[in-house]
Amino acid sequence: MTAAASDGAAPAATGQPGRSASSGRLLRIAVPAAMMVLLVAAWQAYCTLYEVPHYILPSPLRVAQAMWTDWPILGAALIVTLKITFAALLLALVGGVALAVLMVQSRWFELALFPYAVVLQVTPIVAIAPLIIIYAPTTQQALLICAWIVAFFPVLSNTMQGLKSTDHNLLNLFELYGASRWQTLLYLKLPNALPYFLAGLRIAGGLALIAAVVAEFAAGSAGAGSGLAFRLLESQFRLNIPRLFAALILLSLTGVVIFAATSAVSHLLLRRWHESALKREN
Amino acid sequence: MDPQRASIPAGAEAGSGRPIIRLRNVSKTFSSGTVALSGLSLDVAPGSFVSLLGPSGCGKSTALRIIAGLGDPTSGTVEWPTSKHDSSGRPEREISFVFQEPTLMPWATVFRNVWLPLRLKGISKAEASGRVMEALDLVGLAKFAGAYPRELSGGMKMRVSIARALVTRPKVLLMDEPFAALDEITRFKLNNDLLHLWETYGWTVVFVTHSVFESVYLSDRIVVMAARPGRVFEDMAIDAPYPRGDAFRTSAGYAEHCRRVSASLHAAIMSSTAGLDDHL
Ligand SMILES: Nc1ncnc2c1ncn2[C@@H]1O[C@H](COP(=O)(O)OP(=O)(O)OP(=O)(O)O)[C@@H](O)[C@H]1O
Ligand SMILES: [Mg+2]
């Protein structure tokens, strides 16, 4: 709490309207940033003071150095991983929403398909990955399929839940005014499902990345098309721990960016009307 | 599906003209076992203003929904003798419904909520704009066209819902306690506006209310209902002439009607098998 007072941002502004809102935002950025600086400094100090060998725990400086010198390899791997993650996420969105609409519109579809969606979801992806790698034409496609299988379920089940939880009185109203099935879907059920869908999207974003990494571990592919996960394993085999850390940092940064992006999309779409995105004003 | 339909053309009553809505022995039992309505019969004459008055839980909302065709009665029939029927045998009725709750789409602005019935008929935003604003004007909310429902008070939401019902200029208006959440001044104003519209356009209104005073002021006929099971207790005509205004509200005739209807409502509550204790 005292961080804001000691950062000397605008001591004269105390008491001005709007100050609490902007200082709240400052705190949200300043506190985690200060925390990170502290942690990195402690890590660096520990490595220097105790002369920890870099193949056990590299210092932050060494990790930064590895990031810089190995960037041609790591950058290419990052692109590969990003491509798989985002392609899987996109396909999961399209497939998840389309299947959800189909299943909610037709009971037959739901009865026929939903159990298999659940089976796909509950079977651990590491266990199916080897099979998929055998059947898929290329490793990239195998990774994509794995990431898709994991990412699409939260989109599917959340969107279905949203489509089904439409207010009965509003459904009555639409029936009363002679709305077609299509109109009811477009103007009522889909907007109603939007917050649920967006919650699913946020889960799916993180899962797509995890699945892309797990599948690559299982595939163990080498060469030009390898993603971050393979580089991570490779660094471990070669005891190139600074590069391992660099790859790890890239992976978690990717995860953070995906989470921030999906949260931002969700906020933008819901900010005018949904309780989850509104400030409480009493 | 409907065995009674074949007899509709011959169903005209001698004397008074054919009713626009005819309920015959309508009963409704919910799957929970609650008997909401039992043997309800009601003819609504075209152009009349009928109020359903009764204690909470006596089945007023259920009756109104059944009239609107939302949910079939367990037994009995609902007929629209004067309406044309489409190829599948459904009556082509031009009705609007004001639900007991505002029932607005939270993701849509006030304008878009009121536009909805027209939009479902394929009328574009530009075409509908004049009528939507006119309806909003009528309920005094033209300034709030761009607001979202959660930015409105409970009474304002209800007025949006009324505007949405008026925007289609329906022949039959079904209203379920539309003014219950409003302050007295607004309620009186909307009472007068509704009466004015009703006289101007010759609508048929079925109006559900808790309030003896409101029902007497508005209606030419009050159907007092009793609970457990829901049924018609007494059917009373209010023969005061229209147009009615604030002078009517303070007249001796109004007070006399209110006394009569109050007594009937009280008797209806007492007649319920469980009596007053259960109602309260
Ligand atoms: N969907 C439902 N399922 C089961 N029972 C219901 C349902 N809707 C209403 N009921 C029951 O039917 C009875 C009549 O309900 P209804 O809503 O028609 O009463 P009402 O006269 O409109 O009351 P109020 O004046 O409080 O609105 C009540 O006893 C209620 O418990
Ligand atoms: Mg009711």
Side-chain angles (χ1 to χ4, degrees):
Chain A
M1 288 304 286
T2 50
S6 62
D7 69 13
T14 314
Q16 271 178 15
R19 155 134 176 110
S20 67
S22 70
S23 80
R25 190 173 310 159
L26 201 73
L27 272 182
R28 273 224 309 259
I29 299 168
V31 172
M35 187 70 197
M36 195 165 87
V37 169
L38 248 158
L39 278 176
V40 171
W43 176 7
Q44 179 70 46
Y46 174 74
C47 289
T48 333
L49 285 178
Y50 292 86
E51 293 168 357
V52 185
H54 64 78
Y55 50 84
I56 293 180
L57 179 67
S59 72
L61 274 177
R62 262 191 177 272
V63 173
Q65 208 177 3
M67 186 81 88
W68 178 256
T69 51
D70 294 348
W71 180 251
I73 298 172
L74 290 176
L78 175 66
I79 300 283
V80 171
T81 301
L82 283 182
K83 267 190 191 157
I84 292 171
T85 305
F86 280 100
L89 190 56
L90 197 76
L91 290 178
L93 295 191
V94 175
V97 171
L99 269 177
V101 168
L102 267 182
M103 287 190 201
V104 170
Q105 295 291 89
S106 149
R107 212 178 134 58
W108 286 105
F109 266 105
E110 182 176 358
L111 287 175
L113 295 181
F114 194 72
Y116 297 97
V118 173
V119 168
L120 266 186
Q121 163 70 14
V122 297
T123 312
I125 190 66
V126 246
I128 336 175
L131 264 186
I132 295 174
I133 286 157
I134 294 173
Y135 294 143
T138 68
T139 313
Q140 300 302 306
Q141 283 167 16
L143 301 187
L144 185 63
I145 294 171
C146 290
W148 180 79
I149 288 176
V150 174
F152 108 107
F153 191 78
V155 177
L156 172 75
S157 68
N158 271 36
T159 310
M160 272 180 80
Q161 179 73 16
L163 290 170
K164 283 181 173 177
S165 64
T166 313
D167 178 35
H168 285 199
N169 272 333
L170 275 172
L171 282 171
N172 280 340
L173 187 83
F174 271 66
E175 185 189 331
L176 208 66
Y177 286 120
S180 65
R181 274 173 84 100
W182 173 244
Q183 284 174 321
T184 308
L185 178 68
L186 204 62
Y187 299 147
L188 179 58
K189 289 187 175 172
L190 283 178
N192 189 70
L194 186 66
Y196 297 80
F197 162 78
L198 289 168
L201 170 68
R202 278 158 66 158
I203 301 169
L207 285 182
L209 180 64
I210 293 173
V213 168
V214 168
E216 203 181 2
F217 276 168
S221 80
S226 349
L228 278 175
F230 176 75
R231 291 300 170 203
L232 217 136
L233 276 184
E234 186 195 47
S235 312
Q236 187 207 354
F237 289 141
R238 297 184 183 170
L239 273 183
N240 188 347
I241 306 301
R243 190 198 281 179
L244 191 153
F245 267 84
L248 198 57
I249 287 171
L250 284 180
L251 271 179
S252 61
L253 273 183
T254 308
V256 169
V257 168
I258 291 176
F259 181 79
T262 49
S263 300
V265 167
S266 167
H267 182 78
L268 277 180
L269 288 173
L270 302 182
R271 82 203 134 105
R272 286 306 299 271
W273 67 274
H274 198 255
E275 307 290 347
S276 68
L278 287 160
K279 266 223 311 281
R280 197 150 61 108
E281 290 183 71
N282 283 332
Chain B
M1 287 304 292
D2 184 353
Q4 299 289 312
R5 215 169 60 73
S7 67
I8 288 171
E13 278 177 58
S16 62
R18 286 194 295 172
I20 189 165
I21 307 163
R22 167 180 290 168
L23 302 189
R24 279 278 164 274
N25 261 319
V26 166
S27 302
K28 178 78 180 181
T29 307
F30 285 106
S31 51
S32 60
T34 310
V35 184
L37 295 173
S38 163
L40 180 78
S41 292
L42 184 67
D43 282 359
V44 177
S48 60
F49 197 124
V50 180
S51 284
L52 301 181
L53 181 71
S56 181
C58 72
K60 304 182 296 292
S61 299
T62 306
L64 206 62
R65 266 205 287 273
I66 286 178
I67 292 174
L70 298 169
D72 293 320
T74 312
S75 66
T77 57
V78 181
E79 293 163 17
W80 294 76
T82 59
S83 301
K84 285 201 295 255
H85 290 68
D86 66 15
S87 50
S88 56
R90 272 194 305 266
E92 288 176 0
R93 330 142 300 180
E94 289 171 47
I95 59 177
S96 271
F97 201 112
V98 180
F99 290 92
Q100 196 165 354
E101 297 87 36
T103 318
L104 302 176
M105 301 178 290
W107 54 84
T109 58
V110 164
F111 182 96
R112 285 178 161 263
N113 267 292
V114 176
W115 173 32
L116 177 78
L118 300 177
R119 189 184 198 187
L120 292 175
K121 288 199 177 78
I123 299 175
S124 74
K125 193 174 176 181
E127 270 179 283
S129 172
R131 280 165 71 181
V132 171
M133 291 315 292
E134 191 186 328
L136 281 175
D137 222 13
L138 206 69
V139 295
L141 286 178
K143 275 196 305 212
F144 289 87
Y148 283 79
R150 63 154 290 127
E151 296 161 7
L152 306 178
S153 74
M156 287 158 89
K157 279 185 223 165
M158 210 56 219
R159 273 142 70 196
V160 175
S161 157
I162 293 165
R164 179 180 59 197
L166 298 181
V167 79
T168 53
R169 298 181 190 142
K171 289 225 176 69
V172 177
L173 190 54
L174 306 174
M175 306 180 95
D176 195 350
E177 300 187 34
F179 305 141
L182 302 180
D183 65 278
E184 198 152 89
I185 305 288
T186 314
R187 186 160 68 234
F188 285 177
K189 178 188 175 293
L190 286 175
N191 280 169
N192 289 337
D193 289 343
L194 178 62
L195 274 187
H196 179 73
L197 289 167
W198 171 69
E199 284 170 67
T200 313
Y201 294 110
W203 294 339
T204 307
V205 181
V206 182
F207 189 95
V208 168
T209 180
H210 271 136
S211 160
V212 170
F213 305 104
E214 187 172 59
S215 63
V216 170
Y217 183 69
L218 292 173
S219 356
D220 56 14
R221 177 179 167 204
I222 296 176
V223 175
V224 179
M225 290 176 65
R228 268 162 278 263
R231 62 195 185 276
V232 174
F233 182 75
E234 197 175 351
D235 200 333
M236 313 170 90
I238 306 295
D239 46 17
Y242 293 93
R244 297 174 183 170
D246 291 334
F248 177 57
R249 255 189 223 288
T250 50
S251 69
Y254 177 69
E256 176 51 36
H257 283 302
C258 288
R259 235 189 322 276
R260 205 159 54 90
V261 174
S262 256
S264 172
L265 179 61
H266 197 72
I269 291 172
M270 294 311 288
S271 85
S272 297
T273 40
L276 196 56
D277 297 337
D278 190 59
H279 169 59
L280 297 174

